Amino acid sequence: MEPDRESPEMTLQTRPLVLFDGVCNLCNATVQRLIERDPDGRLTFASLQSEAARSALAAAGVSDPADLPDSFVLIDDGGVHVRSTAALRMTGWLGFPYSLARVALVVPRPLRDAVYKGVARNRYRWFGRRDTCMRPTPELRSRFLDADESTPVIPPVDPQGSLAPGARGLGAWVRGWLVRLAVVYVLLYMLPFPFTLLSYLARLPLIGDIPGLGAAVGWFVGLHGEVMNPLTTWVGSTVLGVDAALETTGSGDRTFNYVALFVSAVLSLLIASLWTALARAR
């Protein structure tokens, strides 16, 4: 059975541990982003290929590490997390707007794991790979459990969390932009569904007792409608020349819905492009 929050009784005496594929460019870039966004050093790291990773998994109760995914594994005080659950939980340390992705945890795990597996299977083809695992600089050695293992490694991690020179090129830039475009479009397409689902859950016992949850969810759903509905209607009439007035008919096959898809696509292109430009400038 795959571990994924199946060992809640385990309490780690150390900081959360991120295990990653040490030769995967996408995994290494994610780790470096985590380092950049976690200056207080709350997270520790090790490559899945290391002896340190095998020891940590054994201590966490994983009898056969070969049963785990070969991309990302997260060990924290909630247990051992894999695939989409590990990735989404890690976004909590990336800060806004990355942390918004944790909302996707409400999506059934088989569905989000299917998306995760698709990216994981193609990560070498889309993002490339290294010949050996990366090694931290002296400033970051204390955060890598496998820092003292005698494995030749290239390229090094720089203290600012950026890839070494030559690790990024036009292909990596395009792939990064495409990934950001997909992430933004999926989030815009889903909204405000995750929050409307939370609004229903907020009516249940225990969940509804969380202070301010219902009010916060209601505010966001209302704000989304106040912004997106008039924008969609305006784009329909002004840009596309169609009547895209919002009508409450219960049907999803309306002009308004098709224009809303167009608006989401345009916004995704703009946001992904700005996001990529800012990332490269930084």
Side-chain angles (χ1 to χ4, degrees), residues 104 115 180-191 194 264 268:
V115 176
R180 294 183 180 103
L181 176 64
V183 169
V184 173
Y185 182 79
V186 169
L187 288 176
L188 290 178
Y189 180 81
M190 290 176 60
L191 290 176
S264 295
S268 299

Side-chain angles (χ1 to χ4, degrees), residues 33 70 143 248:
R33 187 66 66 195
D70 60 356
R143 301 185 62 181
T248 308

Side-chain angles (χ1 to χ4, degrees), residues 134-147:
M134 73 176 186
R135 180 177 60 192
T137 56
E139 295 86 348
L140 299 174
R141 287 179 63 84
S142 62
R143 301 185 62 181
F144 283 76
L145 301 188
D146 56 349

Side-chain angles (χ1 to χ4, degrees), residues 24-274:
C24 167
N25 283 343
L26 174 61
C27 300
N28 283 309
T30 302
V31 167
Q32 292 169 62
R33 187 66 66 195
L34 286 168
I35 291 172
E36 179 183 334
R37 296 278 180 164
D38 180 33
D40 296 330
R42 296 168 295 174
L43 299 172
T44 54
F45 307 91
S47 66
L48 277 165
Q49 293 88 347
S50 67
E51 184 60 39
R54 287 188 286 272
S55 299
L57 289 170
V62 178
S63 57
D64 187 1
D67 292 337
L68 297 179
D70 60 356
S71 48
F72 271 112
V73 176
L74 173 66
I75 305 176
D76 61 15
D77 57 4
V80 180
H81 311 278
V82 298
R83 295 194 173 94
S84 62
T85 302
L88 291 173
R89 286 175 70 93
M90 283 189 293
T91 61
W93 289 293
L94 288 174
F96 183 84
Y98 304 92
S99 56
L100 293 176
R102 295 196 68 162
V103 174
L105 285 169
V106 303
V107 177
R109 196 174 76 180
L111 295 180
R112 45 187 170 85
D113 274 355
V115 176
Y116 180 93
K117 290 176 183 177
V119 176
R121 279 195 304 267
N122 294 283
R123 66 187 187 277
Y124 293 150
R125 183 173 61 179
W126 292 348
F127 301 96
R129 58 169 293 165
R130 306 161 186 258
D131 293 331
T132 53
C133 299
M134 73 176 186
R135 180 177 60 192
T137 56
E139 295 86 348
L140 299 174
R141 287 179 63 84
S142 62
R143 301 185 62 181
F144 283 76
L145 301 188
D146 56 349
D148 295 324
E149 296 188 18
S150 56
T151 303
V153 286
I154 54 171
V157 180
D158 116 359
Q160 303 302 318
S162 60
L163 287 172
R168 289 188 184 273
L170 179 60
W173 181 88
V174 173
R175 288 191 293 267
W177 179 80
L178 288 174
V179 170
R180 294 183 180 103
L181 176 64
V183 169
V184 173
Y185 182 79
V186 169
L187 288 176
L188 290 178
Y189 180 81
M190 290 176 60
L191 290 176
F193 164 73
F195 293 93
T196 55
L197 177 61
L198 280 176
S199 68
Y200 288 111
L201 294 177
R203 303 173 187 174
L204 300 177
L206 298 180
I207 298 178
D209 295 335
I210 300 176
L213 176 62
V217 170
W219 174 84
F220 183 85
V221 173
L223 178 64
H224 180 271
E226 291 174 4
V227 173
M228 294 302 295
N229 292 346
L231 176 61
T232 301
T233 301
W234 179 84
V235 169
S237 60
T238 306
V239 179
L240 302 179
V242 297
D243 182 8
L246 177 61
E247 301 176 2
T248 308
T249 63
S251 171
D253 187 21
R254 300 168 297 177
T255 303
F256 177 88
N257 300 108
Y258 292 110
V259 175
L261 292 176
F262 173 78
V263 171
S264 295
V266 172
L267 288 176
S268 299
L269 288 169
L270 295 175
I271 294 172
S273 299
L274 178 61

